[in-house]
Amino acid sequence: ILNVEQSPQSLHVQEGDSTNFTCSFPSSNFYALHWYRWETAKSPEALFVMTLNGDEKKKGRISATLNTKEGYSYLYIKGSQPEDSATYLCAWDNAGNMLTFGGGTRLMVKP
Amino acid sequence: DVKVTQSSRYLVKRTGEKVFLECVQDMDHENMFWYRQDPGLGLRLIYFSYDVKMKEKGDIPEGYSVSREKKERFSLILESASTNQTSMYLCASIRHRVGGEKLFFGSGTQLSVL
Protein backbone atom coordinates (compact mmCIF):
# COMPACT_ATOMS: atom_id res chain seq x y z
CA ILE A 1 0.00 0.00 0.00
CA LEU A 2 1.43 3.32 -1.09
CA ASN A 3 1.07 5.77 1.80
CA VAL A 4 3.03 8.57 0.18
CA GLU A 5 0.71 10.31 -2.24
CA GLN A 6 1.50 12.94 -4.83
CA SER A 7 -0.99 15.09 -6.67
CA PRO A 8 -1.68 15.77 -9.38
CA GLN A 9 -0.30 12.79 -11.28
CA SER A 10 0.40 15.02 -14.28
CA LEU A 11 0.24 18.69 -15.07
CA HIS A 12 0.45 20.73 -18.27
CA VAL A 13 1.27 24.44 -17.92
CA GLN A 14 2.28 27.25 -20.25
CA GLU A 15 5.74 28.77 -20.13
CA GLY A 16 5.73 31.55 -17.56
CA ASP A 17 2.97 30.06 -15.40
CA SER A 18 3.69 29.37 -11.77
CA THR A 19 2.63 25.99 -10.47
CA ASN A 20 2.66 23.84 -7.39
CA PHE A 21 2.06 20.26 -6.43
CA THR A 22 1.62 18.26 -3.27
CA CYS A 23 3.17 15.37 -1.44
CA SER A 24 1.35 13.83 1.53
CA PHE A 25 3.04 11.37 3.85
CA PRO A 26 2.67 9.72 7.27
CA SER A 27 3.37 12.18 10.08
CA SER A 28 4.47 9.40 12.45
CA ASN A 29 8.06 8.14 12.42
CA PHE A 30 9.01 11.07 10.22
CA TYR A 31 12.66 12.00 9.79
CA ALA A 32 12.95 13.77 6.46
CA LEU A 33 11.15 14.50 3.22
CA HIS A 34 13.08 14.33 -0.05
CA TRP A 35 12.24 15.94 -3.39
CA TYR A 36 13.86 14.66 -6.60
CA ARG A 37 13.60 15.88 -10.17
CA TRP A 38 13.74 13.23 -12.91
CA GLU A 39 14.20 14.48 -16.43
CA THR A 40 13.68 12.08 -19.32
CA ALA A 41 16.78 10.00 -20.12
CA LYS A 42 18.62 11.41 -17.09
CA SER A 43 19.19 10.35 -13.49
CA PRO A 44 16.82 11.57 -10.78
CA GLU A 45 18.56 14.37 -8.89
CA ALA A 46 17.91 15.57 -5.37
CA LEU A 47 16.32 19.00 -5.10
CA PHE A 48 15.73 19.23 -1.38
CA VAL A 49 15.95 17.17 1.79
CA MET A 50 13.80 18.75 4.49
CA THR A 51 13.60 17.78 8.13
CA LEU A 52 12.11 20.62 10.18
CA ASN A 53 8.42 21.42 10.49
CA GLY A 54 7.75 24.78 8.85
CA ASP A 55 10.97 24.63 6.87
CA GLU A 56 11.10 26.30 3.49
CA LYS A 57 13.89 25.65 0.99
CA LYS A 58 14.62 27.42 -2.27
CA LYS A 59 16.73 26.65 -5.33
CA GLY A 60 16.40 29.25 -8.06
CA ARG A 61 12.75 29.36 -9.11
CA ILE A 62 11.86 26.20 -7.19
CA SER A 63 10.90 26.20 -3.53
CA ALA A 64 9.39 23.70 -1.12
CA THR A 65 7.60 23.87 2.21
CA LEU A 66 7.14 21.23 4.85
CA ASN A 67 4.40 20.54 7.41
CA THR A 68 5.35 17.49 9.43
CA LYS A 69 2.42 17.72 11.85
CA GLU A 70 -0.19 17.30 9.13
CA GLY A 71 2.06 15.33 6.79
CA TYR A 72 2.38 17.35 3.60
CA SER A 73 4.91 19.21 1.51
CA TYR A 74 4.36 21.60 -1.38
CA LEU A 75 6.73 22.13 -4.27
CA TYR A 76 6.40 25.48 -6.08
CA ILE A 77 7.84 26.49 -9.42
CA LYS A 78 7.73 30.18 -10.23
CA GLY A 79 7.60 31.19 -13.90
CA SER A 80 7.83 27.66 -15.35
CA GLN A 81 10.24 27.12 -18.22
CA PRO A 82 10.31 24.23 -20.74
CA GLU A 83 13.46 22.93 -19.05
CA ASP A 84 11.41 22.41 -15.86
CA SER A 85 9.54 19.61 -17.65
CA ALA A 86 10.27 16.49 -15.61
CA THR A 87 8.78 14.06 -13.13
CA TYR A 88 9.01 15.33 -9.57
CA LEU A 89 9.28 12.64 -6.92
CA CYS A 90 8.89 13.01 -3.20
CA ALA A 91 10.08 10.42 -0.71
CA TRP A 92 9.35 9.94 2.99
CA ASP A 93 12.42 9.11 5.06
CA ASN A 94 11.89 7.39 8.41
CA ALA A 95 15.54 7.58 9.50
CA GLY A 96 16.47 4.08 8.43
CA ASN A 97 16.89 5.80 5.10
CA MET A 98 14.55 3.30 3.54
CA LEU A 99 12.73 5.86 1.48
CA THR A 100 9.11 5.42 0.50
CA PHE A 101 8.43 7.20 -2.76
CA GLY A 102 5.27 8.78 -4.04
CA GLY A 103 3.99 8.08 -7.55
CA GLY A 104 5.43 11.32 -8.88
CA THR A 105 4.00 14.38 -10.59
CA ARG A 106 4.80 14.65 -14.29
CA LEU A 107 5.13 18.31 -15.28
CA MET A 108 5.06 19.40 -18.91
CA VAL A 109 5.76 23.06 -19.69
CA LYS A 110 4.66 24.20 -23.15
CA PRO A 111 6.65 26.98 -24.83
CA ASP B 1 31.49 14.49 -10.82
CA VAL B 2 30.11 11.60 -8.80
CA LYS B 3 28.43 8.91 -10.80
CA VAL B 4 26.14 5.94 -10.70
CA THR B 5 26.30 4.12 -14.02
CA GLN B 6 23.86 1.55 -15.30
CA SER B 7 25.15 -0.64 -18.06
CA SER B 8 22.21 -0.43 -20.45
CA ARG B 9 19.67 2.27 -21.21
CA TYR B 10 17.32 -0.05 -23.10
CA LEU B 11 17.11 -3.83 -23.01
CA VAL B 12 14.75 -6.22 -24.79
CA LYS B 13 14.62 -9.82 -23.59
CA ARG B 14 12.44 -12.85 -24.14
CA THR B 15 10.31 -14.58 -21.53
CA GLY B 16 12.36 -17.14 -19.63
CA GLU B 17 15.73 -15.55 -20.31
CA LYS B 18 18.15 -14.83 -17.47
CA VAL B 19 18.77 -11.10 -17.34
CA PHE B 20 21.58 -9.19 -15.64
CA LEU B 21 21.31 -5.47 -14.89
CA GLU B 22 24.58 -3.94 -13.79
CA CYS B 23 25.19 -0.86 -11.69
CA VAL B 24 28.52 0.74 -10.76
CA GLN B 25 29.14 3.70 -8.45
CA ASP B 26 32.38 5.62 -8.07
CA MET B 27 31.65 7.30 -4.73
CA ASP B 28 32.80 4.49 -2.40
CA HIS B 29 29.25 4.27 -1.05
CA GLU B 30 28.41 1.42 1.30
CA ASN B 31 24.74 1.19 0.41
CA MET B 32 23.23 0.39 -2.96
CA PHE B 33 19.63 -0.09 -4.02
CA TRP B 34 17.58 -1.43 -6.91
CA TYR B 35 14.17 0.10 -7.59
CA ARG B 36 11.61 -0.35 -10.29
CA GLN B 37 9.36 2.43 -11.56
CA ASP B 38 5.93 1.71 -12.99
CA PRO B 39 3.44 4.42 -13.98
CA GLY B 40 1.51 5.75 -10.99
CA LEU B 41 3.18 3.39 -8.53
CA GLY B 42 6.26 5.30 -7.47
CA LEU B 43 9.69 3.81 -7.06
CA ARG B 44 9.43 0.42 -5.38
CA LEU B 45 12.42 -1.12 -3.65
CA ILE B 46 13.43 -4.56 -4.93
CA TYR B 47 16.66 -5.24 -3.01
CA PHE B 48 19.35 -3.31 -1.26
CA SER B 49 22.88 -4.02 -0.05
CA TYR B 50 24.66 -2.35 2.86
CA ASP B 51 28.04 -3.99 2.35
CA VAL B 52 29.91 -6.34 0.06
CA LYS B 53 28.19 -9.73 -0.10
CA MET B 54 25.36 -8.43 2.10
CA LYS B 55 21.83 -8.06 0.78
CA GLU B 56 18.34 -7.49 2.08
CA LYS B 57 14.96 -7.87 0.44
CA GLY B 58 12.97 -4.78 -0.29
CA ASP B 59 9.25 -4.54 -0.86
CA ILE B 60 9.03 -6.57 -4.08
CA PRO B 61 11.90 -9.11 -4.24
CA GLU B 62 9.97 -11.96 -5.86
CA GLY B 63 11.48 -13.04 -9.16
CA TYR B 64 14.73 -11.16 -8.54
CA SER B 65 18.09 -11.81 -6.94
CA VAL B 66 21.16 -9.61 -6.48
CA SER B 67 24.90 -9.87 -6.27
CA ARG B 68 27.43 -7.57 -4.61
CA GLU B 69 30.90 -9.05 -4.96
CA LYS B 70 32.66 -5.67 -4.98
CA LYS B 71 31.76 -2.48 -3.17
CA GLU B 72 31.29 -0.47 -6.33
CA ARG B 73 29.11 -2.94 -8.23
CA PHE B 74 25.56 -4.12 -7.54
CA SER B 75 23.87 -6.46 -9.98
CA LEU B 76 20.18 -7.24 -10.31
CA ILE B 77 19.36 -10.67 -11.72
CA LEU B 78 16.08 -11.80 -13.21
CA GLU B 79 16.42 -15.57 -13.05
CA SER B 80 13.66 -16.21 -15.59
CA ALA B 81 12.28 -13.01 -17.05
CA SER B 82 8.53 -12.62 -17.28
CA THR B 83 6.38 -10.03 -19.03
CA ASN B 84 5.32 -8.48 -15.71
CA GLN B 85 8.95 -7.54 -15.14
CA THR B 86 8.78 -5.09 -18.03
CA SER B 87 9.62 -1.85 -16.25
CA MET B 88 12.11 0.97 -15.70
CA TYR B 89 14.84 -0.15 -13.29
CA LEU B 90 16.80 2.40 -11.28
CA CYS B 91 19.94 1.83 -9.27
CA ALA B 92 20.87 4.18 -6.43
CA SER B 93 23.55 4.54 -3.80
CA ILE B 94 24.15 6.35 -0.53
CA ARG B 95 27.17 6.50 1.76
CA HIS B 96 25.47 6.00 5.12
CA ARG B 97 22.02 4.76 5.96
CA VAL B 98 21.14 7.57 8.27
CA GLY B 99 18.17 9.80 7.88
CA GLY B 100 18.35 12.82 5.65
CA GLU B 101 21.05 11.73 3.23
CA LYS B 102 20.13 12.08 -0.42
CA LEU B 103 20.26 9.20 -2.87
CA PHE B 104 22.39 9.25 -6.01
CA PHE B 105 20.71 7.54 -8.95
CA GLY B 106 21.72 6.00 -12.23
CA SER B 107 19.85 7.03 -15.36
CA GLY B 108 17.76 3.87 -15.48
CA THR B 109 17.36 0.77 -17.64
CA GLN B 110 14.09 0.37 -19.54
CA LEU B 111 13.58 -3.39 -19.74
CA SER B 112 11.03 -4.92 -22.08
CA VAL B 113 10.27 -8.62 -21.73
CA LEU B 114 8.51 -10.06 -24.77
Side-chain angles (χ1 to χ4, degrees), chain B residues 5-39:
Chain B
T5 303
Q6 293 183 230
S7 53
S8 305
R9 175 76 187 133
Y10 297 99
L11 214 48
V12 180
K13 296 292 180 181
R14 294 200 180 277
T15 302
E17 279 193 75
K18 190 168 186 176
V19 181
F20 292 86
L21 302 184
E22 306 286 349
C23 175
V24 177
Q25 50 95 3
D26 65 0
M27 296 167 282
D28 200 36
H29 283 175
E30 296 168 1
N31 303 278
M32 297 186 74
F33 304 82
W34 275 106
Y35 292 91
R36 63 179 279 179
Q37 162 77 2
D38 299 291

Tab-separated table of all heavy atoms in Angstrom, chain B residues 5-39:
chain	number	residue	atom	x	y	z
B	5	THR	N	26.420	4.492	-12.608
B	5	THR	CA	26.297	4.125	-14.019
B	5	THR	C	25.580	2.793	-14.151
B	5	THR	O	25.980	1.803	-13.521
B	5	THR	CB	27.699	4.020	-14.658
B	5	THR	OG1	28.390	5.253	-14.484
B	5	THR	CG2	27.586	3.718	-16.141
B	6	GLN	N	24.557	2.788	-14.971
B	6	GLN	CA	23.865	1.547	-15.295
B	6	GLN	C	24.269	1.132	-16.688
B	6	GLN	O	24.378	1.960	-17.586
B	6	GLN	CB	22.346	1.740	-15.187
B	6	GLN	CG	21.907	1.987	-13.759
B	6	GLN	CD	20.406	2.112	-13.588
B	6	GLN	OE1	19.928	3.053	-12.985
B	6	GLN	NE2	19.657	1.155	-14.099
B	7	SER	N	24.480	-0.160	-16.858
B	7	SER	CA	25.153	-0.643	-18.063
B	7	SER	C	24.345	-0.457	-19.329
B	7	SER	O	24.908	-0.234	-20.398
B	7	SER	CB	25.529	-2.114	-17.906
B	7	SER	OG	24.384	-2.860	-17.536
B	8	SER	N	23.016	-0.523	-19.240
B	8	SER	CA	22.209	-0.431	-20.451
B	8	SER	C	21.094	0.579	-20.245
B	8	SER	O	20.509	0.651	-19.166
B	8	SER	CB	21.582	-1.785	-20.808
B	8	SER	OG	22.559	-2.773	-20.912
B	9	ARG	N	20.791	1.334	-21.275
B	9	ARG	CA	19.666	2.270	-21.207
B	9	ARG	C	18.368	1.564	-21.607
B	9	ARG	O	17.339	1.782	-20.997
B	9	ARG	CB	19.937	3.449	-22.144
B	9	ARG	CG	18.801	4.447	-22.264
B	9	ARG	CD	18.711	5.338	-21.052
B	9	ARG	NE	17.515	6.178	-21.129
B	9	ARG	CZ	16.656	6.357	-20.124
B	9	ARG	NH1	16.855	5.789	-18.959
B	9	ARG	NH2	15.598	7.123	-20.286
B	10	TYR	N	18.468	0.732	-22.632
B	10	TYR	CA	17.316	-0.048	-23.099
B	10	TYR	C	17.742	-1.501	-23.250
B	10	TYR	O	18.859	-1.788	-23.673
B	10	TYR	CB	16.803	0.460	-24.458
B	10	TYR	CG	16.286	1.868	-24.442
B	10	TYR	CD1	17.082	2.921	-24.880
B	10	TYR	CD2	15.008	2.169	-23.979
B	10	TYR	CE1	16.623	4.222	-24.867
B	10	TYR	CE2	14.537	3.466	-23.960
B	10	TYR	CZ	15.349	4.485	-24.395
B	10	TYR	OH	14.893	5.780	-24.377
B	11	LEU	N	16.817	-2.401	-22.913
B	11	LEU	CA	17.106	-3.826	-23.005
B	11	LEU	C	15.816	-4.524	-23.404
B	11	LEU	O	14.751	-4.245	-22.831
B	11	LEU	CB	17.569	-4.317	-21.630
B	11	LEU	CG	18.606	-5.402	-21.470
B	11	LEU	CD1	19.827	-5.160	-22.344
B	11	LEU	CD2	19.020	-5.514	-20.013
B	12	VAL	N	15.913	-5.418	-24.390
B	12	VAL	CA	14.753	-6.221	-24.794
B	12	VAL	C	15.128	-7.678	-24.625
B	12	VAL	O	16.145	-8.130	-25.184
B	12	VAL	CB	14.354	-5.931	-26.252
B	12	VAL	CG1	13.143	-6.795	-26.636
B	12	VAL	CG2	14.038	-4.453	-26.440
B	13	LYS	N	14.342	-8.408	-23.872
B	13	LYS	CA	14.616	-9.823	-23.590
B	13	LYS	C	13.359	-10.645	-23.832
B	13	LYS	O	12.237	-10.119	-23.896
B	13	LYS	CB	15.081	-9.984	-22.136
B	13	LYS	CG	16.399	-9.297	-21.827
B	13	LYS	CD	17.552	-9.967	-22.548
B	13	LYS	CE	18.867	-9.286	-22.239
B	13	LYS	NZ	20.001	-9.918	-22.959
B	14	ARG	N	13.567	-11.939	-23.935
B	14	ARG	CA	12.438	-12.855	-24.141
B	14	ARG	C	12.058	-13.506	-22.809
B	14	ARG	O	12.903	-13.708	-21.925
B	14	ARG	CB	12.800	-13.926	-25.151
B	14	ARG	CG	13.026	-13.364	-26.538
B	14	ARG	CD	12.913	-14.441	-27.609
B	14	ARG	NE	13.127	-13.873	-28.930
B	14	ARG	CZ	12.189	-13.260	-29.632
B	14	ARG	NH1	10.971	-13.132	-29.150
B	14	ARG	NH2	12.453	-12.777	-30.822
B	15	THR	N	10.807	-13.872	-22.703
B	15	THR	CA	10.306	-14.583	-21.527
B	15	THR	C	11.178	-15.809	-21.267
B	15	THR	O	11.497	-16.565	-22.188
B	15	THR	CB	8.853	-15.009	-21.751
B	15	THR	OG1	8.065	-13.856	-22.023
B	15	THR	CG2	8.294	-15.711	-20.531
B	16	GLY	N	11.563	-15.991	-20.009
B	16	GLY	CA	12.355	-17.145	-19.626
B	16	GLY	C	13.856	-16.914	-19.642
B	16	GLY	O	14.612	-17.709	-19.073
B	17	GLU	N	14.292	-15.838	-20.273
B	17	GLU	CA	15.733	-15.547	-20.306
B	17	GLU	C	16.221	-15.109	-18.933
B	17	GLU	O	15.482	-14.520	-18.145
B	17	GLU	CB	16.039	-14.411	-21.301
B	17	GLU	CG	16.119	-14.841	-22.737
B	17	GLU	CD	16.744	-13.740	-23.597
B	17	GLU	OE1	17.976	-13.556	-23.535
B	17	GLU	OE2	15.990	-13.066	-24.330
B	18	LYS	N	17.497	-15.358	-18.673
B	18	LYS	CA	18.145	-14.834	-17.467
B	18	LYS	C	18.714	-13.465	-17.833
B	18	LYS	O	19.402	-13.332	-18.847
B	18	LYS	CB	19.247	-15.781	-17.007
B	18	LYS	CG	19.822	-15.451	-15.632
B	18	LYS	CD	20.694	-16.587	-15.113
B	18	LYS	CE	21.149	-16.326	-13.691
B	18	LYS	NZ	21.910	-17.444	-13.120
B	19	VAL	N	18.412	-12.470	-17.014
B	19	VAL	CA	18.768	-11.098	-17.339
B	19	VAL	C	19.631	-10.521	-16.222
B	19	VAL	O	19.316	-10.696	-15.028
B	19	VAL	CB	17.513	-10.225	-17.508
B	19	VAL	CG1	17.902	-8.787	-17.883
B	19	VAL	CG2	16.581	-10.811	-18.568
B	20	PHE	N	20.696	-9.858	-16.599
B	20	PHE	CA	21.577	-9.189	-15.638
B	20	PHE	C	21.524	-7.684	-15.879
B	20	PHE	O	21.776	-7.217	-16.988
B	20	PHE	CB	23.027	-9.657	-15.811
B	20	PHE	CG	23.261	-11.088	-15.440
B	20	PHE	CD1	23.044	-12.095	-16.361
B	20	PHE	CD2	23.697	-11.427	-14.168
B	20	PHE	CE1	23.255	-13.430	-16.024
B	20	PHE	CE2	23.917	-12.760	-13.819
B	20	PHE	CZ	23.691	-13.752	-14.756
B	21	LEU	N	21.212	-6.931	-14.825
B	21	LEU	CA	21.307	-5.475	-14.887
B	21	LEU	C	22.451	-5.067	-13.968
B	21	LEU	O	22.474	-5.438	-12.793
B	21	LEU	CB	20.005	-4.816	-14.429
B	21	LEU	CG	18.732	-5.192	-15.201
B	21	LEU	CD1	17.549	-4.385	-14.679
B	21	LEU	CD2	18.890	-4.981	-16.687
B	22	GLU	N	23.375	-4.297	-14.538
B	22	GLU	CA	24.585	-3.941	-13.793
B	22	GLU	C	24.562	-2.481	-13.380
B	22	GLU	O	24.103	-1.618	-14.125
B	22	GLU	CB	25.824	-4.195	-14.656
B	22	GLU	CG	25.932	-5.598	-15.222
B	22	GLU	CD	26.312	-6.618	-14.176
B	22	GLU	OE1	26.698	-6.228	-13.056
B	22	GLU	OE2	26.216	-7.821	-14.461
B	23	CYS	N	25.124	-2.222	-12.202
B	23	CYS	CA	25.193	-0.859	-11.690
B	23	CYS	C	26.553	-0.670	-11.016
B	23	CYS	O	26.979	-1.515	-10.219
B	23	CYS	CB	24.072	-0.630	-10.674
B	23	CYS	SG	24.122	0.979	-9.854
B	24	VAL	N	27.214	0.423	-11.342
B	24	VAL	CA	28.518	0.736	-10.757
B	24	VAL	C	28.491	2.159	-10.229
B	24	VAL	O	28.017	3.062	-10.912
B	24	VAL	CB	29.642	0.588	-11.811
B	24	VAL	CG1	30.988	0.990	-11.213
B	24	VAL	CG2	29.699	-0.830	-12.338
B	25	GLN	N	29.022	2.347	-9.008
B	25	GLN	CA	29.141	3.701	-8.455
B	25	GLN	C	30.603	3.983	-8.110
B	25	GLN	O	31.332	3.079	-7.698
B	25	GLN	CB	28.226	3.889	-7.226
B	25	GLN	CG	28.331	2.818	-6.164
B	25	GLN	CD	29.274	3.126	-5.025
B	25	GLN	OE1	29.867	4.201	-4.950
B	25	GLN	NE2	29.399	2.177	-4.113
B	26	ASP	N	30.968	5.253	-8.285
B	26	ASP	CA	32.380	5.617	-8.072
B	26	ASP	C	32.568	6.483	-6.834
B	26	ASP	O	33.560	7.210	-6.720
B	26	ASP	CB	32.934	6.316	-9.322
B	26	ASP	CG	32.256	7.656	-9.614
B	26	ASP	OD1	31.350	8.045	-8.846
B	26	ASP	OD2	32.619	8.303	-10.610
B	27	MET	N	31.625	6.409	-5.893
B	27	MET	CA	31.653	7.296	-4.726
B	27	MET	C	32.047	6.569	-3.450
B	27	MET	O	31.956	7.130	-2.365
B	27	MET	CB	30.270	7.929	-4.558
B	27	MET	CG	29.896	8.829	-5.716
B	27	MET	SD	28.155	9.267	-5.714
B	27	MET	CE	27.418	7.793	-6.374
B	28	ASP	N	32.437	5.282	-3.569
B	28	ASP	CA	32.798	4.495	-2.395
B	28	ASP	C	31.648	4.392	-1.399
B	28	ASP	O	31.850	4.344	-0.184
B	28	ASP	CB	34.042	5.113	-1.702
B	28	ASP	CG	34.751	4.092	-0.799
B	28	ASP	OD1	34.792	2.901	-1.169
B	28	ASP	OD2	35.237	4.496	0.276
B	29	HIS	N	30.420	4.356	-1.916
B	29	HIS	CA	29.252	4.267	-1.047
B	29	HIS	C	29.054	2.845	-0.547
B	29	HIS	O	29.257	1.874	-1.284
B	29	HIS	CB	27.997	4.710	-1.801
B	29	HIS	CG	27.891	6.194	-1.936
B	29	HIS	ND1	26.892	6.797	-2.678
B	29	HIS	CD2	28.627	7.201	-1.423
B	29	HIS	CE1	27.032	8.106	-2.605
B	29	HIS	NE2	28.083	8.374	-1.863
B	30	GLU	N	28.641	2.743	0.707
B	30	GLU	CA	28.409	1.420	1.300
B	30	GLU	C	27.090	0.811	0.824
B	30	GLU	O	26.976	-0.404	0.695
B	30	GLU	CB	28.363	1.554	2.828
B	30	GLU	CG	29.663	2.021	3.445
B	30	GLU	CD	29.516	2.428	4.893
B	30	GLU	OE1	28.386	2.331	5.430
B	30	GLU	OE2	30.510	2.852	5.494
B	31	ASN	N	26.107	1.670	0.625
B	31	ASN	CA	24.742	1.188	0.405
B	31	ASN	C	24.302	1.370	-1.041
B	31	ASN	O	24.469	2.444	-1.609
B	31	ASN	CB	23.771	1.970	1.306
B	31	ASN	CG	24.156	1.860	2.758
B	31	ASN	OD1	23.831	0.889	3.423
B	31	ASN	ND2	24.862	2.863	3.259
B	32	MET	N	23.730	0.320	-1.587
B	32	MET	CA	23.230	0.393	-2.964
B	32	MET	C	21.845	-0.226	-3.026
B	32	MET	O	21.515	-1.133	-2.239
B	32	MET	CB	24.198	-0.310	-3.928
B	32	MET	CG	25.572	0.353	-3.983
B	32	MET	SD	26.679	-0.328	-5.210
B	32	MET	CE	25.982	0.339	-6.736
B	33	PHE	N	21.042	0.274	-3.959
B	33	PHE	CA	19.630	-0.086	-4.024
B	33	PHE	C	19.228	-0.362	-5.472
B	33	PHE	O	19.760	0.252	-6.402
B	33	PHE	CB	18.759	1.090	-3.530
B	33	PHE	CG	19.091	1.589	-2.145
B	33	PHE	CD1	20.145	2.471	-1.943
B	33	PHE	CD2	18.348	1.186	-1.055
B	33	PHE	CE1	20.453	2.941	-0.674
B	33	PHE	CE2	18.642	1.650	0.219
B	33	PHE	CZ	19.689	2.531	0.411
B	34	TRP	N	18.264	-1.256	-5.625
B	34	TRP	CA	17.579	-1.428	-6.910
B	34	TRP	C	16.101	-1.142	-6.710
B	34	TRP	O	15.444	-1.719	-5.823
B	34	TRP	CB	17.752	-2.848	-7.462
B	34	TRP	CG	19.006	-3.037	-8.241
B	34	TRP	CD1	20.124	-3.709	-7.861
B	34	TRP	CD2	19.280	-2.547	-9.561
B	34	TRP	NE1	21.075	-3.664	-8.849
B	34	TRP	CE2	20.573	-2.966	-9.902
B	34	TRP	CE3	18.540	-1.808	-10.501
B	34	TRP	CZ2	21.173	-2.663	-11.140
B	34	TRP	CZ3	19.122	-1.509	-11.712
B	34	TRP	CH2	20.420	-1.937	-12.027
B	35	TYR	N	15.586	-0.238	-7.562
B	35	TYR	CA	14.169	0.100	-7.586
B	35	TYR	C	13.610	-0.215	-8.964
B	35	TYR	O	14.332	-0.231	-9.953
B	35	TYR	CB	13.967	1.609	-7.371
B	35	TYR	CG	14.308	2.141	-6.001
B	35	TYR	CD1	15.593	2.623	-5.722
B	35	TYR	CD2	13.353	2.210	-4.995
B	35	TYR	CE1	15.901	3.142	-4.469
B	35	TYR	CE2	13.657	2.733	-3.743
B	35	TYR	CZ	14.934	3.190	-3.491
B	35	TYR	OH	15.238	3.710	-2.259
B	36	ARG	N	12.278	-0.381	-9.008
B	36	ARG	CA	11.607	-0.347	-10.294
B	36	ARG	C	10.533	0.731	-10.266
B	36	ARG	O	9.965	1.022	-9.209
B	36	ARG	CB	11.029	-1.695	-10.720
B	36	ARG	CG	9.955	-2.285	-9.873
B	36	ARG	CD	9.459	-3.619	-10.427
B	36	ARG	NE	8.497	-3.454	-11.522
B	36	ARG	CZ	7.939	-4.452	-12.190
B	36	ARG	NH1	8.257	-5.705	-11.897
B	36	ARG	NH2	7.062	-4.226	-13.152
B	37	GLN	N	10.317	1.340	-11.442
B	37	GLN	CA	9.358	2.426	-11.561
B	37	GLN	C	8.298	2.007	-12.562
B	37	GLN	O	8.616	1.724	-13.714
B	37	GLN	CB	10.054	3.712	-12.040
B	37	GLN	CG	9.146	4.780	-12.611
B	37	GLN	CD	8.390	5.554	-11.557
B	37	GLN	OE1	8.568	5.319	-10.374
B	37	GLN	NE2	7.543	6.467	-11.958
B	38	ASP	N	7.058	1.982	-12.106
B	38	ASP	CA	5.934	1.715	-12.988
B	38	ASP	C	4.968	2.885	-12.892
B	38	ASP	O	4.821	3.486	-11.820
B	38	ASP	CB	5.247	0.404	-12.597
B	38	ASP	CG	6.188	-0.779	-12.705
B	38	ASP	OD1	6.542	-1.129	-13.843
B	38	ASP	OD2	6.599	-1.325	-11.664
B	39	PRO	N	4.291	3.226	-13.983
B	39	PRO	CA	3.442	4.424	-13.985
B	39	PRO	C	2.467	4.440	-12.820
B	39	PRO	O	1.740	3.482	-12.584
B	39	PRO	CB	2.717	4.309	-15.330
B	39	PRO	CG	3.641	3.527	-16.193
B	39	PRO	CD	4.294	2.537	-15.279
